[in-house]
Every structure is written in structure tokens, then in C-alpha cells.
Amino acid sequence: MLKTFDLVLIGVMTATAAVTYTIKHRAELKVEEVHRLEVEIKLEKDTIDLLKADWALQSQPNRLERLVKAYNEELKLQPTESTALVHAKELPMLKSEVPVPDVTEAKASAKSATEASAKSATVASAKGAPDTKGAQATAKAQPIPVPAPRGEAEDADQIETGSVEE
């Protein structure tokens, strides 16, 4: 006859077999997923190589020259003059790089400038002298934003070609 202990051991063995099977099944699913991802990665790499080869064919100088000659009437292309090129550091700042002005500081400086110009105007009118201090105070109170350089390296003025490199 089976004792209680034997029944418990049979239950533990059955549970262990079920857990082992589920772990094995999950591992097989993961291996299939890894294989599928490897195939997708290989396909993407092959596509990238194909696109690089296509770009190399499309951007050949002799082909582009033939196209320019063929469509010169429609495009009316002109050679780029050397004076039309600028260095990267000569370009203005990007809109995202412009510092945001502090509204409270601007209001306080404008208020103090207005008070200073009003005081100097009353003093100047009392003395009969022209108002130069008020104009200077107003000019100092309103800072003019100056675009900062982008921090490009010194070799940033070299023109980048359309070559494809890895």
C-alpha cells in the first residue's frame, strides 16, 4: 500500500517534471526568437550594404555630369562661387541654443532704467543740459543678445563630401 510519504514524493516528482518542461519550452521559444532576430539583423545589414552600393553608383561624378548636361536646359545650374561658402562658426545660433531671458530680471532692469532716465531728465531740464545719462542708462538696461559660437572644432570649415564610410 502506498503511504502518505510516497504520495507526496510522487506529487513533488510530477511538479518537478512540469516545471522542467515549462522551463525547456520557454528556452526553446527564446532560442527561436534569437534566431529570428539574427535573421532580421542579417537582412538589415544586407539592405544597408545594398543601399551603400546603390549610393556609390548614383553619386558617381561622371554619371552626375551626364545628368547635368542632359537637364541643363531645365535646371539652369551654375557653379558655386567660393564667396558663397561660409564657415560653420559664421552661422547664427540655433533657436534651441538661444538662452531664454528671465522675465522678472528684464522687468526690474527696465523699471530701474525708466526711473533713472526720469531722474536724469528732471535734473537735466533743471540745469538746461542735454539728457545723455538717461540714454546711457536705458542702453545699459537693455542688453543686446549676441550669438555665441557653436563650439565647433577648428576643422569645421572643411566641406563634407557625400562619401559613405563605416
Side-chain angles (χ1 to χ4, degrees):
M1 293 230 222
L2 294 174
K3 296 182 180 178
T4 309
F5 182 69
D6 292 336
L7 290 175
V8 169
L9 285 179
I10 291 173
V12 167
M13 286 179 17
T14 306
T16 305
V19 167
T20 304
Y21 176 76
T22 57
I23 290 173
K24 177 184 175 249
H25 183 68
R26 287 181 186 166
E28 289 174 350
L29 290 177
K30 291 294 181 185
V31 167
E32 288 176 9
E33 184 179 357
V34 166
H35 180 67
R36 182 184 56 80
L37 289 174
E38 286 175 346
V39 168
E40 285 182 22
I41 289 170
K42 184 175 181 342
L43 179 66
E44 290 296 323
K45 285 183 178 180
D46 291 344
T47 304
I48 289 170
D49 289 340
L50 181 66
L51 289 172
K52 284 181 180 179
D54 187 44
W55 177 256
L57 287 174
Q58 296 292 328
S59 63
Q60 287 180 346
N62 58 0
R63 177 186 173 275
L64 294 176
E65 188 175 346
R66 280 194 326 262
L67 289 174
V68 166
K69 287 178 183 176
Y71 295 103
N72 194 23
E73 297 290 323
E74 296 172 30
L75 299 176
K76 299 177 184 166
L77 297 174
Q78 299 296 325
T80 305
E81 297 180 18
S82 62
T83 58
L85 301 176
V86 296
H87 298 288
K89 56 188 168 192
E90 294 174 337
L91 296 174
M93 282 193 305
L94 295 174
K95 202 171 205 178
S96 63
E97 294 175 349
V98 174
V100 179
D102 189 14
V103 177
T104 56
E105 272 186 31
K107 285 182 180 179
S109 63
K111 184 178 178 183
S112 64
T114 306
E115 290 172 358
S117 63
K119 286 179 184 178
S120 63
T122 56
V123 170
S125 64
K127 292 181 179 179
D131 181 23
T132 57
K133 291 182 182 178
Q136 289 173 352
T138 305
K140 289 181 183 175
Q142 297 173 358
I144 299 171
V146 177
R150 289 189 181 180
E152 308 284 328
E154 289 300 321
D155 60 346
D157 57 336
Q158 295 178 357
I159 299 172
E160 183 177 329
T161 60
S163 63
V164 179
E165 297 177 15
E166 282 191 36

